[in-house]
Amino acid sequence: MIPIDSELVRLLMRIGYLAAWNGLYKEAVAVFDGVQAVRPESEIPIIGGAVVAILSGNPEVAIKSLKEGALTLNPGSDLARAHLGCALRLQGREEEGQAILQEVASTSSQPDARAMAANLLTLSSDHLAPKRNFL
């Protein structure tokens, strides 16, 4: 296998998120799948795929990916748990999602996960759903 520099992996993840947030779901998934191929031990590209599912209105797919993929690879990933809390809330499982987000926001040692969870807790369920304003 050809070694892939970590900075290149970070850049690819950014490109994948840029594609996802601009409605290029198929392209974003292709990028995240590529990152998963070179970093099979990482939950991060699986989280990227879950974000695509959330943005495309499929929180149930995101929940399954996060539970069976990301959190299986890394049960201690508070970033995966924060995304799971968001997806649960979007699926209408408000109390379950809120509980996960509250725990991550108050106990996580991962600053990005803690900030994400805290921010998601401030949003009402009506404001939580991503707004799709694609050209």
Side-chain angles (χ1 to χ4, degrees):
M1 178 174 344
I2 298 171
I4 305 295
D5 178 76
S6 293
E7 192 57 38
L8 178 56
V9 170
R10 282 190 282 280
L11 177 61
L12 288 169
M13 289 299 297
R14 287 186 195 116
I15 291 168
Y17 281 113
L18 182 62
W21 279 101
N22 283 285
L24 302 170
Y25 303 136
K26 190 167 69 172
E27 293 83 352
V29 168
V31 171
F32 296 137
D33 285 348
V35 173
Q36 185 68 44
V38 298
R39 293 290 192 274
E41 73 287 351
S42 176
E43 79 278 11
I44 299 301
I46 298 170
I47 293 171
V51 169
V52 172
I54 288 169
L55 291 172
S56 63
N58 296 298
E60 63 283 346
V61 172
I63 292 166
K64 183 175 181 174
S65 295
L66 292 164
K67 285 183 173 182
E68 296 176 10
L71 290 167
T72 298
L73 276 175
N74 184 357
S77 174
D78 285 336
L79 194 56
R81 292 179 63 233
H83 283 84
L84 176 61
C86 177
L88 288 165
R89 289 186 66 200
L90 286 169
Q91 192 185 41
R93 295 160 63 180
E94 186 69 24
E95 288 182 25
E96 189 178 356
Q98 287 273 2
I100 290 171
L101 292 170
Q102 186 61 51
E103 184 180 342
V104 172
S106 61
T107 66
S108 180
S109 62
Q110 300 168 359
D112 291 340
R114 193 173 55 247
M116 178 185 172
N119 287 331
L120 288 171
L121 284 167
T122 67
L123 297 174
S124 69
S125 56
D126 291 339
H127 290 101
L128 188 62
K131 306 299 181 255
R132 297 187 251 327
N133 296 322
F134 307 130
L135 300 174

